[in-house]
Amino acid sequence: MSEYLDIKKQLQACRSKEETFKSLVMLSKQLPRLSDDEKVEENKVKGCESAVWLISEEINDSRHFKADSDAKLMRGVLFAILSIVEGKSVADIQSMDIQAELTDLNLSSYLTSSRSNGVLAILEKIIAS
Amino acid sequence: MAFDPSLLRSQFPILSQQVNSHPLTYLDNAATTQKPACVLKAVHDYYCTSNANVHRGAHFLSDKATNQFEQAREVVQDFINAPLKSHIIWTKGTTESINMVAYGLEHILKQGDEILITSLEHHANLVPWQQLAFRTGARLRVLPLTSAGEWQEEFASYFTNRTRIFAATQVSNAIGTHTPLKEMLLRAKQQGAFTLVDGAQAVAHYPVDVEELDCDFYVFSGHKMYGPTGIGALYGKQHALEVLIPYQTGGEMVLKVAYQATEFNVLPYRLEAGTPNIEGAIGLAAASEFLNKQDRNALLEWEQKLANHVYTRLKKAGGIEIYSPEKHTTLVSFSVPNIHLIDLNGYLDGQGIGIRSGSHCTHPLMEQLGVHGTLRASFACYNTLEEADRFCDALFDAMELLGDE
């Protein structure tokens, strides 16, 4: 949770899309990379212009996520998204308004339904996991 | 009147806005162009003063709308130097124009016939022909043009006595290549093939003369030449349009209907089923007149100067893969090895700069180039040298920010 608050502070301090972009690039460095074995077709999120992989598993009633992308911007966005849902129960995740959380993080412009990114597809995969 | 870029720019209301706290730098003109005030006014005035359905009612507004609609056809006829106004068919745009031809010519194809396209085509000038080939047993062949677009003697063998249709773009949307249209059309005509030229990317920049080109069909979209979306045209020679079976039927395109038979209307109405896009036609005519009023050569020279400026700066900078040929059109297509397109695009967007990233609806061409996609900066007459520099500077900043691992 403290990690999420840090990210929140950092992103909410951004005063322009330029600053948000730079913050996401910085955050992308904190997202552990997946191995080539994990970057397989079945872990891919469809509907993203960049390649995005998402894996989750359940340990003691909480969901744990790993994700990666070939684009830094998406790795930053993934890091922010995972900080919201990581370690929560399926019921909690399903009752959360993740889009509202992301809007709160100054990331609303990445929530477009356009084909250029795939944040909505990522959220769908998280909720379905 | 001498060409003044800033004066021209002031006619485009959308361009004066700020995007992400920066002045908007719109360099995605190959996707769609912005609209000058005269086009917006033409559409607005039509609804304020003349709106009615065309070709039917015998009342004041219907006559007025019909006159404007048919005058618009004449303006577009002149714009591409078509011999008759009945040779201009209104469509939704380039894609519908090509589909209209692909469906309309289905009846002339049989198993073993060949449809020839080039390796630089947009999906719009590929998929309709591929599907036509599937439906008829014809074979789709692809002339392997290179990025440079030069004619090579061995290409001649692709034009055979089985080539029934030859379709090619005038210039490449993805990488800005001029295709060797003259040489290709000559070979296609020698084989008696129907010829179609995709002018979507050309009309805004290059004066078009369909009589000089001497192709059977010429297709383009309004929105890429400062006109509205949802309107475009199919030009065809008389005999070529007459061969087309209407792919849509219904009202407007008929003379006499009985339950057992229908007598189709004459050209151009035979190919225009349903109530047409009246405002679009009027807007497209206004866009044509807007271009007619300009010194087209000066405009082209300006756009080319901007694209050349960017091309030279990117080349000089190094570390950038440029896919556009040295002799390119008014766009530059490139990528930066090891930096994702959407990262570069994301940074540029934050600077108020709009360019296109992706495959540009040319998957086979991207495969030929060995990439998933490219970034494309494409210029229009209202762009400035300052914008070209702002784009280059921002790109170099993005490379610095994103380049480290």
Side-chain angles (χ1 to χ4, degrees):
Chain A
M1 198 62 195
S2 67
E3 187 182 54
Y4 173 64
L5 290 176
D6 283 350
I7 293 166
K8 192 168 178 171
K9 214 169 133 189
Q10 187 178 337
L11 287 171
Q12 283 185 337
C14 295
R15 287 285 157 262
S16 64
K17 197 161 185 192
E18 184 180 349
E19 285 181 25
T20 305
F21 180 85
K22 285 181 177 164
S23 279
L24 288 170
V25 169
M26 292 305 289
L27 290 173
S28 74
K29 294 175 183 164
Q30 297 181 48
L31 186 75
R33 305 301 302 260
L34 293 182
S35 69
D36 286 347
D37 296 345
E38 293 169 310
K39 289 196 269 190
V40 290
E41 197 59 33
E42 60 168 302
N43 294 332
K44 241 183 180 172
V45 182
K46 289 187 179 68
C48 303
E49 191 180 306
S50 55
V52 172
W53 299 269
L54 182 81
I55 307 171
S56 71
E57 59 175 348
E58 185 148 317
I59 304 169
N60 299 332
D61 291 334
S62 56
R63 299 295 310 179
H64 297 275
F65 296 90
K66 288 199 279 188
D68 202 353
S69 169
D70 55 356
K72 285 188 179 179
L73 176 64
M74 291 311 290
R75 289 207 294 278
V77 172
L78 285 166
F79 187 70
I81 294 173
L82 295 197
S83 73
I84 298 170
V85 296
E86 172 60 24
K88 299 238 169 22
S89 70
V90 173
D92 279 349
I93 291 169
Q94 283 174 350
S95 66
M96 286 173 93
D97 188 345
I98 307 175
Q99 290 200 35
E101 297 273 349
L102 290 173
T103 303
D104 201 31
L105 294 182
N106 250 338
L107 298 179
S108 59
S109 66
Y110 296 98
L111 290 169
T112 67
S113 54
S114 115
R115 59 189 164 180
S116 64
N117 71 57
V119 175
L120 295 179
I122 293 167
L123 297 186
E124 271 170 37
K125 188 155 180 176
I126 285 174
I127 291 162
S129 70
Chain B
M1 197 178 76
F3 168 60
D4 179 346
S6 62
L7 202 63
L8 190 77
R9 188 179 175 88
S10 67
Q11 296 181 44
F12 291 79
I14 202 173
L15 295 174
S16 55
Q17 66 184 293
Q18 298 273 311
V19 169
N20 296 324
S21 318
H22 294 273
L24 166 66
T25 301
Y26 184 77
L27 302 180
D28 195 13
N29 296 288
T32 199
T33 51
Q34 301 303 344
K35 322 304 173 196
C38 59
V39 169
L40 305 178
K41 185 173 184 305
V43 174
H44 185 258
D45 285 355
Y46 164 72
Y47 279 118
C48 289
T49 65
S50 317
N51 177 51
N53 211 331
V54 293
H55 302 140
R56 315 170 199 234
H59 58 78
F60 178 79
L61 281 185
S62 179
D63 284 344
K64 199 172 171 188
T66 303
N67 281 338
Q68 285 186 24
F69 179 69
E70 289 303 327
Q71 271 164 20
R73 202 190 297 273
E74 284 172 34
V75 170
V76 170
Q77 173 205 344
D78 286 343
F79 183 70
I80 60 168
N81 196 33
L84 287 174
K85 74 170 203 160
S86 58
H87 293 174
I88 303 294
I89 314 295
W90 298 119
T91 65
K92 283 193 292 184
T94 303
T95 299
E96 190 184 34
S97 299
I98 295 172
N99 274 282
M100 193 180 276
V101 177
Y103 279 92
L105 288 180
E106 186 168 331
H107 66 105
I108 70 150
L109 287 180
K110 56 182 187 310
Q111 184 110 25
D113 283 345
E114 292 174 359
I115 303 167
L116 183 62
I117 61 171
T118 85
S119 53
L120 298 181
E121 301 310 318
H122 186 283
H123 292 161
N125 202 24
L126 187 170
V127 184
W129 305 119
Q130 176 200 64
Q131 298 297 313
L132 174 63
F134 289 160
R135 293 197 300 274
T136 57
R139 180 177 169 219
L140 181 70
R141 297 192 70 192
V142 183
L143 192 70
L145 292 180
T146 64
S147 303
E150 282 150 357
W151 172 258
Q152 295 168 23
E153 256 333 296
E154 61 260 34
F155 291 161
S157 66
Y158 282 82
F159 298 85
T160 75
N161 57 12
R162 308 195 105 177
T163 311
R164 302 302 310 277
I165 299 169
F166 171 69
T169 190
Q170 202 165 351
V171 294
S172 149
N173 72 304
I175 57 174
T177 305
H178 293 273
T179 60
L181 209 50
K182 218 171 126 188
E183 290 87 346
M184 297 190 297
L185 287 175
L186 179 73
R187 298 322 189 276
K189 276 182 287 188
Q190 280 169 354
Q191 300 296 345
F194 280 101
T195 54
L196 179 143
V197 174
D198 173 356
Q201 291 291 332
V203 279
H205 311 287
Y206 307 95
V208 172
D209 183 334
V210 290
E211 289 235 89
E212 194 188 314
L213 271 175
D214 199 25
C215 49
D216 292 310
F217 301 105
Y218 188 88
V219 299
F220 61 99
S221 301
H223 73 97
K224 290 195 199 286
M225 51 168 280
Y226 313 109
T229 50
I231 187 74
L234 162 65
Y235 154 80
K237 285 184 182 172
Q238 182 78 22
H239 80 94
L241 289 175
E242 278 171 356
V243 170
L244 296 185
I245 303 284
Y247 96 119
Q248 287 194 337
T249 53
E252 274 280 293
M253 54 82 67
V254 296
L255 285 177
K256 176 89 183 96
V257 177
Y259 285 117
Q260 304 308 326
T262 291
E263 190 187 339
F264 292 159
N265 205 337
V266 295
L267 288 170
Y269 313 111
R270 195 170 72 89
L271 295 169
E272 294 179 350
T275 295
N277 182 354
I278 306 164
E279 58 160 284
I282 287 166
L284 176 51
S288 306
E289 280 169 337
F290 163 77
L291 277 170
N292 286 339
K293 275 190 205 132
Q294 316 300 324
D295 176 345
R296 296 290 305 271
N297 287 330
L299 246 57
L300 175 58
E301 216 172 279
W302 177 249
E303 294 162 354
Q304 196 71 64
K305 181 180 168 176
L306 298 176
N308 291 351
H309 181 70
V310 166
Y311 185 92
T312 308
R313 279 198 71 186
L314 300 198
K315 193 146 200 171
K316 220 182 254 173
I320 297 172
E321 192 82 47
I322 301 178
Y323 303 103
S324 297
E326 188 114 20
K327 217 181 128 221
H328 52 89
T329 60
T330 56
L331 62 85
V332 182
S333 196
F334 65 94
S335 69
V336 180
N338 301 320
I339 304 182
H340 203 282
L341 299 177
I342 75 160
D343 286 339
L344 291 168
N345 210 0
Y347 182 84
L348 294 170
D349 180 40
Q351 308 290 321
I353 300 168
I355 67 168
R356 176 79 173 266
S357 75
S359 65
H360 317 294
C361 296
T362 56
H363 291 162
L365 173 59
M366 292 297 119
E367 207 164 299
Q368 183 183 321
L369 297 171
V371 294
H372 291 300
T374 75
L375 289 167
R376 181 187 69 186
S378 53
F379 293 88
C381 59
Y382 42 65
N383 288 126
T384 64
L385 204 53
E386 192 192 351
E387 287 180 304
D389 276 325
R390 199 181 299 146
F391 159 69
C392 292
D393 293 341
L395 176 70
F396 300 153
D397 288 346
M399 287 165 62
E400 208 169 298
L401 175 72
L402 295 158
D404 66 307
E405 205 27 80

